[in-house]
Amino acid sequence: MNIRERFVHWKAAEGAKLRPMRPGQRVGYILHYYRFWIMGLVVLLALGFYIGDVVVQSQKEILLQGFFTNDEYNLFPAERIQQDYAATQDLTRRQRIVFDDALYIDMGGDASDYTSASNGKLIAYTLTHELDLVVTSDEVFAYYRGNMSMKDLGEILPEDLQQQLGSALCTETDAEGKTVCIAVDMTGSRFVAGTGADTDPRVEHTYYLFVPESAPHTEQIAEFLRYAFRLD
């Protein structure tokens, strides 16, 4: 008996069982005897939708990509910020904003595997010119400050925005004796100020935004900072 004949035989047998049943009994029978097939179909459909969405998203142009690391207090929920910020931009259907908060870099030596993976991802995205900004804790910022080339924000931010940010801009003197701006203190941003985190003694870290030297979309940094600090 070939596959077609087996299917015809199975269909006839199942039809004979279902015909004398009331509608409610038929539903119960199908849900009971075919529950694993139904569950498999649901999983298959969900997987199909997920893969389809991944493919569609991968074909869109990324206008801004940022990592939030060591966010122990959930001050920077990437998905919500991504949605909120994207809503303020005039994006086309072919464009997207990408933020990720699933990174943790432990400076005390614990969680070494996760730290290595997070650090590796950050470095990889930097080397491939895909990462535009990083928001991280003071201790991690101090580490990267000495181990990664960073953009001088004074060169990529308009003067009016620099004046509005004021003391939130963090400067230092480079090897040539020039004053450069390497980060923005995020304490006054919408993510911290007014949330209680800026006065909560349990929040031990200050968070800084910096831009890797290889950032590909520096024109978007100013827009994100205006959003972050509620500036016009």
Side-chain angles (χ1 to χ4, degrees):
M1 185 181 294
N2 59 35
I3 295 177
R4 182 176 180 279
E5 291 172 336
R6 288 180 180 180
F7 175 75
V8 171
H9 182 268
W10 169 83
K11 183 179 178 182
E14 290 301 297
K17 293 178 184 177
L18 292 171
R19 269 192 294 275
M21 296 182 185
R22 295 191 299 272
Q25 292 176 318
R26 292 177 182 175
V27 172
Y29 175 86
I30 291 172
L31 291 178
H32 177 73
Y33 286 98
Y34 296 98
R35 59 187 182 279
F36 295 114
W37 288 96
I38 294 172
M39 290 172 59
L41 179 60
V42 170
V43 171
L44 186 62
L45 288 174
L47 182 61
F49 281 121
Y50 173 76
I51 293 175
D53 183 63
V54 169
V55 171
V56 169
Q57 293 299 323
S58 67
Q59 295 176 342
K60 291 184 178 181
E61 175 191 4
I62 296 177
L63 290 189
L64 184 69
Q65 182 153 248
F67 289 166
F68 302 98
T69 91
N70 295 59
D71 184 15
E72 300 175 24
Y73 318 102
N74 197 33
L75 299 173
F76 306 95
E79 185 175 356
R80 180 176 62 78
I81 296 174
Q82 179 177 301
Q83 293 175 349
D84 288 351
Y85 178 61
T88 69
Q89 304 299 299
D90 188 19
L91 303 182
T92 69
R93 296 178 62 182
R94 304 288 298 175
Q95 299 173 323
R96 62 178 175 144
I97 306 295
V98 180
F99 292 143
D100 184 359
D101 59 6
L103 292 89
Y104 187 85
I105 300 169
D106 183 71
M107 307 308 296
D110 297 326
S112 57
D113 290 342
Y114 196 82
T115 290
S116 297
S118 296
N119 186 50
K121 181 175 182 178
L122 194 152
I123 296 300
Y125 274 65
T126 299
L127 292 177
T128 55
H129 298 254
E130 297 180 58
L131 185 60
D132 295 303
L133 64 88
V134 178
V135 176
T136 191
S137 65
D138 40 22
E139 59 180 3
V140 177
F141 170 62
Y143 169 76
Y144 283 120
R145 189 173 186 172
N147 292 279
M148 179 184 292
S149 297
M150 301 179 182
K151 285 282 190 185
D152 177 3
L153 299 182
E155 295 181 352
I156 64 175
L157 300 181
E159 291 187 9
D160 66 313
L161 179 56
Q162 294 184 50
Q163 293 174 356
Q164 289 175 306
L165 291 172
S167 60
L169 296 176
C170 304
T171 61
E172 67 176 16
T173 303
D174 65 13
E176 299 177 354
K178 176 185 175 184
T179 299
V180 294
C181 176
I182 58 170
V184 179
D185 181 344
M186 299 298 285
T187 303
S189 70
R190 65 168 68 208
F191 314 119
V192 183
T195 66
D198 45 347
T199 58
D200 190 337
R202 294 174 297 177
V203 180
E204 301 175 351
H205 297 293
T206 300
Y207 287 84
Y208 295 90
L209 178 151
F210 70 85
V211 178
E213 181 64 39
S214 60
H217 308 112
T218 55
E219 69 281 356
Q220 278 287 324
I221 302 299
E223 290 301 315
F224 180 74
L225 286 172
R226 293 186 195 280
Y227 157 80
F229 285 83
R230 303 180 189 272
L231 300 173
D232 297 329

